[in-house]
Amino acid sequence: MSRSNVDQLYHRIEENSSYRKALFRQALQDPQGALKSIVQIGDDLGLPVSIEDVKEYLAHLDDTDTKQWFIKARGGL
């Protein structure tokens, strides 16, 4: 897994409210699309990750708030 990339990407997304809001809205309606968007954001930022990298990272994340909204949008995760 690109652990370093996915960790950096997560923090970059967390710091950018427009990314967070857009991904949250998308995850509620299209969880698989949200995962693809996260991968695309990683590519755009020079932090390539796979969908599996993102899923694994989120599964082990120790952040209650993030886990809560992913549980709500769990359909494709």
Side-chain angles (χ1 to χ4, degrees), residues 3-40:
R3 181 78 177 175
S4 176
N5 281 0
V6 75
D7 186 54
Q8 288 179 52
L9 179 57
Y10 173 78
H11 291 292
R12 297 274 293 270
I13 289 170
E14 274 295 299
E15 293 170 352
N16 185 314
S17 64
S18 62
Y19 282 150
R20 282 194 328 268
K21 289 176 187 176
L23 288 169
F24 178 74
R25 281 191 303 270
Q26 186 173 17
L28 289 174
Q29 297 176 352
D30 178 15
Q32 283 298 319
L35 288 171
K36 290 176 186 174
S37 292
I38 291 168
V39 170
Q40 183 61 52

Side-chain angles (χ1 to χ4, degrees), residues 1 15 20 25 33 35 43-44 52 59 65 67 77:
M1 167 171 72
E15 293 170 352
R20 282 194 328 268
R25 281 191 303 270
L35 288 171
D43 288 344
D44 293 347
E52 289 306 314
D65 291 337
K67 281 187 177 181
L77 302 174

